[in-house]
Each structure stands twice: as C-alpha cells, then as structure tokens.
Amino acid sequence: MIEDLIPKELYGKYVKARDMILGSDFLRVIVHYDGDGTSSAVILTNMLKRLNKKFHLSYIKELNEAGFRSFITDDTTIVADAGSDQLRFIPDKENIIVLDHHFYTQGSWKGLNINARDYGVDGTHEACGSTMSYIMALVVDENNSDLFPFFMSGLIADKQDLGGITGLNQKLVEAYGTKFRKERTLNLEGSSIRDSLTYSTDPFFKDITGFPDNAETFLRSIGINPEKKPQDLSEDEKRLLANALGLKLLKQKAGFEALSYIEGDIYYFDSGYSSKQLASIIDGNGKMGKNSVPVAYFLGFPEFKQEMETNWKMFKTKIIDYAYRSIAEMFNTTHISYFYAPESEMAGAISGIIMLYLADQSKPVIGFSVGKDDTKVSSRGTRKLVAKGLNLSVVMREAASAVGGSGGGHDIAAGAVIPKGKEIQFLEVAEKIVESQIGKIAAKAR
C-alpha cells in the first residue's frame, strides 16, 4: 500500500534503505532528542526488533560538525529527524540512511539522504521525522502499520496537527488510521476536567494552567462539575467549555492558531493512551532527559510504565512553572521577544508555549539557554508570521554563523548553538534578518 502513497522516486530510495538494513547484522540508530525524534526511535527500534537485528540507540542534541561526527562509527547507521544538513560533515560515509524533513544545505556525499522536502512535501506541516520513520517501517514490512500511534505522537509533538493534518501526513492517516477509534473533541487530557485544565500546556490557559483552585472556580462558574472525566462530558458541556476556553484565550491575546488547538481529532489506542497523551508522555520524558524510558516501555518492557508516567508529570509541573517565569522575565526588541530558559531541554517547549499562548503575536520568540561553554537557542513563530515572510531556519543559520555558531530547522521553528557570551550580538543580527523578512513582505502588501 505504501508504494501507492508516495512518489516513485521516493519509494525507490526507501527500497535502497531497506536493502541496507536487511543486509546489516548490527545498526546504529541516531535520533533527535525531542518528541518527534523519540517517537521515531520507537518506530525504528520496533522495526529492527521484529527483524531480529541488533542495534544501538543514541539521541543527538548537538547538530554542529563536532557534535554530529562524535556519533558516527563504521556501522550501518539510521539518522532520523536530523541528518540532511549534517551529511556534509561526513561526505565519504556510504552506509548511512537519513530520514529527515528539515531544510538543509545541498552538497555532495555518499550517504543515502531521504528528505521529504526533496519530493515537494512541506517538512514543516506535511511530514515530520516520525512520518519518514513510519514510511521506512512500512517499506520494510506492511505489518509495521501497527506502529501508527508513534507516527501520530511524533506528528503531534512537532505540532503538525495544528490547524488540521495535511499533505503526506494526511495520506498516511487516511490509509492506516482507520483501524483506530477517532473522536473530534476537546484537546485535553487527564482523569478529571479540573486536572485536565490544571496540567494543560497545549493549550495553555494563563492563570488556570498550574492553578487547580482557579481551574475549579472557572469550571463551576460555567456550570461544569470539575470532577467529571473529559470523556464523560455531554455534547452541550463540550460546546460550553470550548466557547469559554476560546474566550479565555482571546482575553490573553492568543492568536488564531491557539484557538484552533482547543479542539482536535483524538485517536484512542490499545495501549490505553490517546494520541494526545502519547505525544505528551513521549515528549515529556524526552525533555526530562529520559528518552529511553518510553522507548523501552513501548519495546515491550512493562516495568518502565510507572517511571515513564512519573517523568511525564514532573515535566508538566516544571514546564508550567518555567513558562510563567519566562513570560514574567521576557525582553523585547522591535522585532523579537526573547527570554533566558532555566534548562536547555526546556527552551524549545517554553518558546512554543509562549509564542502560541502568551507573547506578542506580531514577532517571533527566541529562548536562550546559557551553558558552560556555549548557548543553545530555540525560536518559534506563527503560521501568520511565516505567511508574511518569516523563516526562522534562515534567521538561526545566518545569525549563528555571524557569531561563530551554527543553526537551522524549520521556517516556523528553528534552533542554534552559539558561543557563550554572544547572545546580544546574535540578537542584533537576528533582529535585522527578521526585519528584512517581515518588512519586505509588508512593503509588497502595501
């Protein structure tokens, strides 16, 4: 079936990758450390386990030359949710398979680069790392279609469900998602509506998220029992709550993208987790530096379940606290909002929350995490800003390069690593680039 869903040339590349995998006794798997990358890891390790292949799994954060090359050995290697822009660092390595969806610099290399963007697929909205990994598993064996939940968790973690699933993602959902129950409902998770709102970060409701008493007061004010389970709400109660939450987001000056996230298509899986919960659990463990815990659990080791769920709850508590602290300490230039994140693993998640739900919607958000030797940078925009001309992949790459660092990613979300102490110089360059991008589009519109 998968052969009929993707371009012939793309399928041909996947067949080459399949042959490399089947011909190898031992493989390295390297994935980006975020929710999309970790979901890719679940897919690829299950695929290899079913093939009785031995493998070693690693998570990569540093995508500069030194960081990437440190992971490369002589073994057959699969890199997922990264790698296209890093192949230039290892041009002579032949036994490497890259499954990516990010912008990258064209070059000459011997590795097998499978990037969605090379086949007319928008890697920001229509395909993520888990998309490319799921296709890899399907090309190896169509019976791997049962790994669909982890394709969905990566897609959601990468926010490619925002505004509706489209493109290649949609084709896969339509082809392989029919065996799972789907419901259009409130985009909430939790054992009660009060807990759902208290721990809600997508959407993030200012002064309700993180405050159980406020969540209860809010619910009682609109006539909803705080102890009810989300799935037990009547259709009238769902509409009432959706309208009240939408009004809450409008009052905190969130944009249309935030409003569209109040409701969504939720899938329910045999594991007992919904697609929303699964994405949150996998991403949360990753942000806590515990990526392998959900991977181990979903590889068939049930003893990891409690640790996985505990890590998830700890992440939720931390990210809510950090979001409030960061918005309170936000700095603004003419074209950029920026903050300093308490932890490097949290910078991207905080940037996403602030951009969608709490910050000035007219300019992108940049988060800095200052380490011992360097500073990690995470940036987020909105689809509206991208439509005006914003491309954060360009901003991160060029501003980082100007101060001796490296960066890249998507037009709507990107990152960089720069020398410690160069944050202000980085901002000065980024400010000019953002101004030129948005300003040029605005000038044409007039």
Side-chain angles (χ1 to χ4, degrees), residues 203-276:
F204 192 104
F205 304 104
K206 188 177 181 182
D207 299 326
I208 293 179
T209 295
F211 296 92
D213 291 343
N214 291 359
E216 180 163 344
T217 299
F218 170 79
L219 289 165
R220 293 195 184 281
S221 72
I222 58 175
I224 292 180
N225 180 358
E227 301 301 329
K228 263 198 170 184
K229 296 180 180 179
Q231 60 267 35
D232 291 340
L233 291 176
S234 68
E235 290 303 314
D236 286 342
E237 287 176 320
K238 288 179 183 178
R239 282 192 291 270
L240 178 65
L241 182 55
N243 289 337
L245 293 175
L247 182 60
K248 180 72 180 69
L249 290 179
L250 286 174
K251 287 182 177 178
Q252 66 189 55
K253 298 182 179 179
F256 174 76
E257 289 176 46
L259 290 171
S260 69
Y261 219 54
I262 291 175
E263 294 183 334
D265 290 329
I266 306 296
Y267 285 81
Y268 297 90
F269 304 127
D270 295 340
S271 63
Y273 297 116
S274 70
S275 52
K276 168 80 172 178

Side-chain angles (χ1 to χ4, degrees), residues 343-416:
E343 296 181 30
S344 61
E345 286 77 11
M346 297 291 182
I350 298 169
S351 297
I353 289 172
I354 289 176
M355 182 74 264
L356 271 177
Y357 305 110
L358 301 171
D360 182 349
Q361 296 288 298
S362 68
K363 48 191 172 183
V365 168
I366 289 177
F368 293 108
S369 178
V370 181
K372 183 179 179 181
D373 300 311
D374 55 33
T375 295
K376 295 180 177 63
V377 190
S378 294
S379 65
R380 295 293 186 275
T382 64
R383 292 192 179 190
K384 186 174 181 180
L385 288 173
V386 169
K388 288 184 175 181
L390 180 71
N391 188 327
L392 289 172
S393 178
V394 173
V395 175
M396 292 293 103
R397 184 174 65 248
E398 295 187 0
S401 178
V403 297
S406 62
H410 299 299
D411 49 12
I412 200 169

